[in-house]
Amino acid sequence: MKKYVALAGLALMGFGSPVVQADGAAVYNSGCMACHNSGVAGSPKIGDKDAWADRIAQGMDLLYEHAIVGFQGKAGYMPPKGGFAHLSDDDVKLAVDYMVCLLYTSDAADE
């Protein structure tokens, strides 16, 4: 019984609670899609290879940085973490990877 009470106490204090990392699609669908489906504020739309080409050419590290800390460019504005401050940096990277990968799937290329 003492063991269960101790474990429950640790869980209540935040120790031992599981960390769940979402996949890129889940992160994207939880918020990123609001801008990237339609191109709000100059965001590159999903499947638009031309809009993504220059961004990808600069390297994934810079793409991640702009997504995480935000970026003001000539074409528009990317708020830090897309305005979802609760996301971890790794979750934002997963969403970026997901969007980039969609450029090379047949479904996105056909849109």
Side-chain angles (χ1 to χ4, degrees):
M1 179 69 174
K2 289 181 183 179
K3 182 177 182 180
Y4 295 114
V5 171
L7 289 175
L10 288 174
L12 289 173
M13 293 176 9
F15 298 105
S17 57
V19 175
V20 178
Q21 185 176 37
D23 62 30
V27 175
Y28 172 80
N29 289 321
S30 73
C32 307
M33 67 182 283
C35 294
H36 288 281
N37 273 354
S38 60
V40 171
S43 62
K45 291 170 56 173
I46 291 300
D48 185 344
K49 289 183 180 183
D50 292 336
W52 284 93
D54 290 341
R55 291 168 171 91
I56 293 170
Q58 294 179 40
M60 291 302 291
D61 287 339
L62 187 60
L63 199 56
Y64 294 145
E65 180 183 330
H66 288 172
I68 293 167
V69 301
F71 180 73
Q72 175 68 57
K74 294 178 184 176
Y77 174 68
M78 170 68 187
K81 297 184 178 183
F84 298 95
H86 67 282
L87 292 175
S88 70
D89 290 357
D90 287 338
D91 285 343
V92 174
K93 289 178 182 180
L94 287 170
V96 170
D97 290 343
Y98 174 75
M99 288 186 276
V100 170
C101 285
L102 284 179
L103 293 171
Y104 302 103
T105 64
S106 60
D107 292 338
D110 292 337
E111 291 180 356

